Amino acid sequence: MSFAVFADGTANLPGSLLNGITLLPSGYTINGEPAVYEGDIENFDVHAYYEGLRNGVSVKTSLLNTALFLDHFEPLLKEGTDIVYVAMSSGISGTYNAACSAASQLMEEYPERFIHIVDSHGCGFGNGMLAIKAAELSREGTDVREAAKILDDMVPHCCQYFTVDDLNFLKRTGRVSGATALIGTTLRIKPILYGDHTGHIVSCATSHGRKKSIRMLAAKYNEKHMDLKAPKIYISHGDCIEDAETLKGLILEITPDADITICAHEPFSGAHVGPGMLGLFFLGKER
């Protein structure tokens, strides 16, 4: 490994994809009680978590603070190891800024070392697939500064589209108004959302009904995807595995040789999108 790679629980990575990636814990509260998500989605009781949200459990998240990054980064710098941290979007969290603050402090103390904070402009597999690429580059012996440029250049091509089953979760975090949530729920309107080039979550389309929204996700892939051999594609879901499998089938009709990973959506940002969230992540021509 030519440099150390960090991500956190929002990267949505199962243990099988954590080769060379250190995950930082993400803290939140459940009905006011503190909890920590360590980051391996395969060792998390996804059904119980999302069932709790369906039944009115209150989950509140907080950003990763500067002290956390200082504690994890400094020991490696003392050993002479450079660092890349892939952060969730600065457009939806202050975590990126906290990491940059820590990096600035540490590089003053260790001027011979290099720390790069990647603003993924994404969340879930939107930053997870960048962390996977960072680990690959490190294993290949890529210089950390060259790797930093490669990763930053990838960001505009990391497409992330998703739909939600219940607009009320987005209403609670201010993504849609109460009136929009009420009308959307009554009329069975399902938004298609994506992470734009500034890292903010915006709506790009709406559909009537769940089945149409899943087809629209596949249509976005058909419109945006790069013509790659055996492309790596990621699907995450808020405790709705059947819908994820349906989406996988639609993607395979478009790109039969695609390498598709399906796993549950991590709880940290899952609190904001709710049960029934269905997300599609891939490298595209543009966002």
Side-chain angles (χ1 to χ4, degrees):
M1 304 291 285
S2 60
F3 54 88
V5 177
F6 284 87
D8 57 67
T10 67
N12 213 121
L13 298 172
S16 58
L17 296 179
L18 286 175
N19 184 14
I21 302 170
T22 298
L23 292 180
L24 300 175
S26 301
Y28 57 102
T29 63
I30 302 177
N31 285 340
E33 295 296 321
V36 176
Y37 175 56
E38 298 292 346
D40 181 355
I41 192 65
E42 291 173 332
N43 289 320
F44 185 79
D45 191 340
V46 172
H47 176 69
Y49 177 80
Y50 283 107
E51 191 65 14
L53 290 178
R54 291 185 182 102
N55 293 324
V57 167
S58 173
V59 176
K60 294 184 179 180
T61 62
S62 58
L63 59 82
L64 280 65
N65 61 45
T66 299
L68 180 72
F69 294 110
L70 293 173
D71 289 345
H72 282 81
F73 290 175
E74 187 166 21
L76 290 171
L77 299 174
K78 286 181 177 179
E79 295 173 359
T81 303
D82 296 316
I83 293 170
V84 168
Y85 167 63
V86 182
M88 67 185 298
S89 172
S90 62
I92 58 176
S93 171
T95 293
Y96 169 78
N97 290 329
C100 287
S101 176
S104 178
Q105 291 180 46
L106 289 169
M107 284 195 289
E108 285 187 7
E109 296 181 38
Y110 302 90
E112 72 284 4
R113 299 270 57 84
F114 183 75
I115 305 173
H116 184 63
I117 312 299
V118 181
D119 186 352
S120 69
H121 286 169
C123 194
F125 278 120
N127 48 312
M129 58 182 168
L130 284 164
I132 292 169
K133 180 63 176 181
E136 290 175 354
L137 292 170
S138 181
R139 288 195 298 272
E140 292 166 0
T142 307
D143 176 76
V144 66
R145 288 173 175 79
E146 181 184 350
K149 184 179 186 309
I150 291 170
L151 294 167
D152 286 345
D153 288 346
M154 281 181 63
V155 170
H157 300 284
C158 290
C159 295
Q160 44 215 312
Y161 291 90
F162 67 99
T163 188
V164 298
D165 199 39
D166 185 347
L167 283 165
N168 285 304
F169 287 93
L170 289 170
K171 181 194 75 173
R172 291 170 197 168
T173 55
R175 297 298 179 191
V176 298
S177 69
T180 299
L182 177 61
I183 293 170
T185 301
T186 302
L187 299 179
R188 298 180 62 246
I189 294 174
K190 307 297 182 184
I192 305 299
L193 304 125
Y194 78 111
D196 70 8
H197 68 282
T198 67
H200 293 85
I201 297 173
V202 296
S203 175
C204 59
T206 58
S207 66
H208 291 273
R210 180 70 167 183
K211 290 182 179 179
K212 287 185 178 179
S213 70
I214 297 173
R215 290 197 294 271
M216 287 185 72
L217 288 175
K220 283 295 181 185
Y221 171 77
N222 193 35
E223 174 189 352
K224 298 284 189 177
H225 78 281
M226 291 180 173
D227 187 15
L228 302 172
K229 183 177 181 180
K232 294 185 183 297
I233 298 167
Y234 305 92
I235 296 172
S236 65
H237 64 90
D239 197 30
C240 54
I241 183 63
E242 296 84 1
D243 290 342
E245 292 289 352
T246 297
L247 179 57
K248 176 181 178 179
L250 293 171
I251 298 301
L252 288 174
E253 289 178 9
I254 300 166
T255 310
D257 66 342
D259 178 2
I260 302 178
T261 296
I262 295 178
C263 71
H265 193 71
E266 46 81 17
F268 198 76
S269 63
H272 302 275
V273 292
M277 174 272 183
L278 184 63
L280 178 64
F281 307 82
F282 59 93
L283 285 178
K285 291 172 284 189
E286 62 181 2
R287 290 200 174 208

